[in-house]
Amino acid sequence: MAEGLRPFRLRGRGGPQKFGVAAGSLRGLLRKGCRLLQVPLAGSRLCLYEDGTELTESYFRALPPQTELVLLGPGESWRGCASDIEQFLAAFSSQRDAVVEAARKLLSDERAPRRQKLLADLIHNLSENILAEERGDDEKWFEGLESRFKNKSSYMRYSCESRIRSYMKEVSSFISNVHPTARDAYKGIIDLMSDKLKSVKYNGCYFDRREEEAARLCTTEGWFSCQGPFDRDDCPCKHSINPYSNRESRILFSTWNLDHIIEKKRAVVPELAEAVKTRDGREVNWEYFYQLLFTVHNLKLVHIACHKKTNHNLSCDKTKIYRKGKQNHKIS
């Protein structure tokens, strides 16, 4: 093998057959793959089999030898292993024998242990009663919960309310750090925020699949997707969960973070305290801070593995800290 060439396993979008191809650059691998699989070079591209990540030249250079790749022709897409499962399920009704053979192949090659886990998880989720809502229809889901929760959505609302209440408690306890001359004004803002939270039942609707507002975090029938680290558009690992599906998923969902993009402790609360201290006759725009602290305008649902614990390096919008013109709810 010529110096600089590295081996990869290549397959097309439409079938499971794999080919060994060696190349020293992304362009070279793409050219060889298109010739081998008879795909037009113009508009074609390569992605990882596992998760569908499209390759760039720099990413290609970092890949280990024997990485499994998928060659996509113009207009084709690949969403990782899920695409294999989609094809598997699509064939089920009309090609039973072919499906059985495909399943054998999935569970017999070098990726068998991982695929067994994926299929077991899929079957586990599909076998649960996701659509059940009332306690009597899915008793197992409610194991360990107080009897006052009569349906799944009531508990999920409570779960979200508890998180929002904890944020309110943090904002209130910060008053000891506020300048003494500004504490009364800070307390007044806390009271306004508290009243607004009570009026919307602490935004518990975010986790309630029956509420329209939940659509900003929740998709079909209670599925939640990780919205990723804050310096990316979405989760690179494609984490998703349906806490309504079974007891284990409900418990696991409690480890996900409803995290502030502009950080609560590092940015929002200190900025609020400073704004009250230096207002100099101006009216603090407390509703802007309320939005940052308690609404999905500044909250993202993040899998614990994607939780960015370092400084987000984001700050409040200085143009929105104080109100313009006459307003109600003035804090003296």
Side-chain angles (χ1 to χ4, degrees):
M1 185 180 296
E3 185 179 358
L5 297 183
R6 290 182 297 140
F8 296 92
R9 288 177 296 167
L10 187 64
R11 57 177 281 183
R13 170 68 176 80
Q17 187 176 6
K18 304 169 193 174
F19 301 89
V21 181
S25 68
L26 176 61
R27 184 67 179 174
L29 182 60
L30 189 60
R31 189 180 299 110
K32 289 183 178 181
C34 288
R35 188 161 54 245
L36 178 66
L37 298 176
Q38 298 184 341
V39 174
L41 180 61
S44 63
R45 58 203 189 283
L46 290 163
C47 68
L48 293 182
Y49 168 79
E50 288 293 341
D51 61 11
T53 301
E54 190 169 330
L55 301 190
T56 62
E57 190 66 52
S58 60
Y59 194 4
F60 168 81
R61 290 195 294 270
L63 291 177
Q66 300 299 341
T67 297
E68 186 170 347
L69 305 173
V70 177
L71 175 64
L72 300 176
E76 291 183 330
S77 63
W78 183 258
R79 299 193 301 112
C81 300
S83 294
D84 262 348
I85 295 174
E86 286 175 352
Q87 292 178 15
F88 177 86
L89 295 176
F92 185 78
S93 59
S94 60
Q95 302 180 37
R96 184 178 182 278
D97 292 341
V99 169
V100 172
E101 181 60 26
R104 287 198 184 104
K105 289 181 179 179
L106 280 172
L107 300 176
S108 63
D109 68 8
E110 71 279 5
R111 295 180 183 272
R114 185 167 186 177
R115 284 176 174 162
Q116 287 170 352
K117 175 65 167 59
L118 285 170
L119 290 174
D121 287 347
L122 177 65
I123 292 169
H124 175 64
N125 280 322
L126 291 178
S127 66
E128 297 297 333
N129 194 355
I130 293 176
L131 297 180
E133 176 66 20
E134 301 304 315
R135 191 174 194 122
D137 296 329
D138 194 353
E139 288 283 355
K140 189 175 179 181
W141 192 91
F142 291 87
E143 287 182 5
L145 299 182
E146 297 175 33
S147 59
R148 63 189 175 100
F149 298 113
K150 304 303 182 183
N151 54 60
K152 293 180 180 180
S153 289
S154 66
Y155 174 76
M156 293 304 295
R157 289 183 67 97
Y158 167 79
S159 176
C160 188
E161 288 173 18
S162 296
R163 300 191 193 203
I164 301 298
R165 284 176 186 272
S166 71
Y167 300 157
M168 185 74 250
K169 186 175 181 180
E170 288 183 58
V171 179
S172 298
S173 64
F174 194 81
I175 195 168
S176 61
N177 298 302
V178 177
H179 192 276
T181 61
R183 285 178 184 172
D184 287 344
Y186 185 88
K187 174 64 166 55
I189 287 177
I190 297 306
D191 290 341
L192 290 172
M193 289 183 174
S194 180
D195 288 344
K196 184 162 185 174
L197 280 175
K198 290 175 183 176
S199 72
V200 294
K201 298 181 180 179
Y202 290 88
N203 290 326
C205 56
Y206 292 154
F207 286 179
D208 188 339
R209 60 179 171 180
R210 301 174 304 178
E211 297 285 343
E212 291 184 12
E213 187 65 20
R216 300 182 68 177
L217 286 177
C218 168
T219 56
T220 306
E221 294 303 340
W223 280 98
F224 292 86
S225 297
C226 173
Q227 297 180 33
F230 303 124
D231 54 356
R232 294 177 63 100
D233 292 333
D234 55 17
C235 167
C237 299
K238 311 300 179 187
H239 294 121
S240 64
I241 192 171
N242 189 333
Y244 289 86
S245 64
N246 52 64
R247 178 176 179 271
E248 292 76 15
S249 294
R250 167 176 64 77
I251 294 172
L252 184 59
F253 185 66
S254 68
T255 68
W256 284 44
N257 295 282
L258 191 57
D259 208 10
H260 292 82
I261 305 171
I262 302 175
E263 295 169 282
K264 175 177 76 273
K265 290 182 179 179
R266 288 192 177 108
V268 182
V269 178
E271 187 70 62
L272 172 60
E274 182 65 19
V276 174
K277 175 187 171 184
T278 60
R279 65 192 187 284
D280 192 26
R282 294 172 292 181
E283 184 181 357
V284 176
N285 186 4
W286 66 270
E287 289 182 319
Y288 169 64
F289 289 99
Y290 171 92
Q291 188 179 50
L292 294 181
L293 290 166
F294 307 116
T295 76
V296 290
H297 176 82
N298 191 47
L299 288 170
K300 280 194 174 184
L301 192 61
V302 185
H303 185 280
I304 189 170
C306 291
H307 183 203
K308 186 176 179 181
K309 299 178 178 64
T310 56
N311 196 324
H312 298 176
N313 294 314
L314 297 171
S315 58
C316 301
D317 186 341
K318 300 291 186 183
T319 66
K320 297 181 179 179
I321 290 176
Y322 297 102
R323 291 184 185 274
K324 296 178 180 178
K326 269 191 167 181
Q327 302 288 341
N328 297 324
H329 307 305
K330 186 173 181 179
I331 307 299
S332 59

